[in-house]
Amino acid sequence: MSAPRTGAAAGPTALGSAALVGFGVATAADLASLLAGWDTGHLVFKPLLMPLLIGYALTRGAPRALVAALFFGWGGDLALLSDADPAFLVGMGSFAVGHLCYLALFGRRPASPLAGAAYAGALLGTVSLLWGDLPADLRIPVAGYSLLLTAMAWRSGALGWRAGLGGALFLLSDTLIATGVADWPQLPRPDFWVMATYAAAQYLLAAGALADDRAYRREVVPV
């Protein structure tokens, strides 16, 4: 029996191609806005990214867990448009649910134990270094979120190199955010690097999941 589907078509469609091009254009426009310091452009283009990627994924017959992960990513995007502390926690919570959806998507597929050990070391080192510089009320939430994010990044490799790279970039993107919260020295235009790694991460996770899902359906004989 084949896995449940949410989209109407398994192959590429004109609508899907348009959504993917739109995602690329909106990403480029958002990054250009950040480089130029044009806040209005960021407010306009950032909220378009995940809906366009969801539209593309749906035309490829995306699994429900992938659509849900991208949807909660969109919720996090919207929350983080605000600089208020409550919005940061809401955004982190929405992304955390998205990571749970990704973990459900990865299922019980095997992932590299060596990569798992490396990610565990990176988690312990990063949290230890950041701990004293984080606001006291954010230490426990950030540590819990980091554990979930790192688990997602490690398990993403179970879907192949594209999803694995996407998981690693997601971890990098959120680590850059955490160093900003801890008031560490930042790269020039730090928001640009956060968004560049984040947009690439979500695309690669989606592409890896869709490729794996098509391979799975070729191996299953419908009954």
Side-chain angles (χ1 to χ4, degrees):
M1 181 179 294
S2 59
R5 318 299 303 156
T6 57
T13 65
L15 183 60
S17 296
L20 185 58
V21 169
F23 171 77
V25 170
T27 299
D30 185 47
L31 295 178
S33 298
L34 291 171
L35 285 176
W38 184 35
D39 293 340
T40 301
H42 181 55
L43 292 173
V44 170
F45 294 114
K46 182 181 180 182
L48 299 177
L49 301 183
M50 290 306 103
L52 288 166
L53 192 54
I54 289 171
Y56 167 70
L58 286 172
T59 67
R60 303 294 296 265
R64 292 186 180 92
L66 173 60
V67 175
L70 295 173
F71 175 79
F72 284 106
W74 183 48
D77 290 346
L78 296 178
L80 293 185
L81 287 173
S82 170
D83 293 330
D85 287 345
F88 178 78
L89 290 172
V90 170
M92 187 164 58
S94 189
F95 280 121
V97 177
H99 296 324
L100 289 173
C101 294
Y102 274 127
L103 288 170
L105 176 67
F106 304 150
R108 296 183 179 180
R109 297 172 178 84
S112 167
L114 183 60
Y119 273 120
L123 170 66
L124 291 174
T126 302
V127 171
S128 297
L129 289 171
L130 287 170
W131 187 264
D133 295 326
L134 290 170
D137 59 334
L138 290 179
R139 289 172 183 167
I140 297 300
V142 167
Y145 175 80
S146 297
L147 177 61
L148 183 59
L149 170 61
T150 303
M152 185 282 293
W154 168 48
R155 293 286 301 137
S156 65
L159 298 190
W161 71 267
R162 280 177 291 191
L165 179 58
L169 287 174
F170 213 134
L171 180 62
L172 174 59
S173 179
D174 281 4
T175 300
L176 292 174
I177 293 176
T179 61
V181 174
D183 203 24
W184 283 15
Q186 300 290 295
L187 294 168
R189 298 293 184 188
D191 288 347
F192 170 86
W193 299 108
V194 168
M195 283 305 302
T197 50
Y198 168 71
Q202 291 283 37
Y203 168 73
L204 288 167
L205 283 164
L210 292 170
D212 178 83
D213 194 55
R214 290 196 298 275
Y216 169 76
R217 282 187 281 114
R218 285 197 298 269
E219 295 172 1
V220 173
V221 178
V223 296

